[in-house]
Amino acid sequence: MTSTKPIDLSNMAATEPMAQAIARSRENSENGCEPFGAVIVKDSKIIATASNQVTQNNDPSAHAEIMAIRKACQVLDTTDLSGCELYTSCEPCPMCIGAIYWSSLDRIYYGCSKEDAAEVGFSDQFIYEELAKKRGDRRLPMHQKMRDEAFKVLKKRQQSKTDNKAKNE
């Protein structure tokens, strides 16, 4: 079920969004895909549901949480999901946690822990370990190139935002 219209939860049990996230994960698993589902709620209404689409889309970023965030942003026509809560069948991975912070979700509810996921072969512990290392010590080589040119673009964009804000005040 792909939700494009909000579903009112005001008369439903508080566990309904989590039950839907788990149902999405079960459905995905029964279709031979990864067993992860997510639901986003705002003002007691489900505004987005999603399941992991990594294998279907050949997209390693298409985790259930990311897909739900994308849908919620479209439904609300914003990248700021303040006031929204995420219900997910499993504790989010580092990539999803990053997207959750960037989208300003208020709260996360999850079913399985990352330890539960690791127990059945879905471990992302190596990513946590890699992120804790200094850049030069990571398994994936990272090399900074053309920093000055790239930084000019960042500075120019920030100045443009500052100028526009001042004009609108």
Side-chain angles (χ1 to χ4, degrees), residues 89-161:
S89 60
C90 191
E91 185 175 355
C93 75
M95 175 185 68
C96 292
I97 290 170
I100 290 163
Y101 276 103
W102 281 115
S103 64
S104 301
L105 284 157
D106 285 359
R107 188 171 290 108
I108 304 167
Y109 297 98
Y110 62 91
C112 295
S113 68
K114 66 181 184 177
E115 293 81 13
D116 295 331
E119 185 177 320
V120 294
F122 293 102
S123 179
D124 48 21
Q125 185 59 35
F126 76 97
I127 298 172
Y128 289 103
E129 291 168 3
E130 285 291 302
L131 290 173
K133 295 178 183 176
K134 294 179 182 177
R135 285 186 209 114
D137 295 335
R138 293 180 184 158
R139 187 172 60 179
L140 182 63
M142 294 179 66
H143 307 282
Q144 189 172 26
K145 301 262 187 210
M146 299 180 67
R147 183 247 179 223
D148 292 342
E149 291 82 352
F151 191 62
K152 285 177 190 174
V153 175
L154 293 179
K155 283 176 61 175
K156 185 174 181 178
R157 174 62 179 143
Q158 191 58 35
Q159 186 60 51
S160 174
K161 286 172 70 174

Side-chain angles (χ1 to χ4, degrees), residues 47-72:
I47 59 168
T49 65
S51 57
N52 183 294
Q53 300 290 305
V54 169
T55 55
Q56 297 96 313
N57 294 354
N58 292 318
D59 178 356
S61 70
H63 289 198
E65 298 91 341
I66 301 285
M67 301 302 286
I69 288 169
R70 290 173 182 165
K71 288 178 183 179

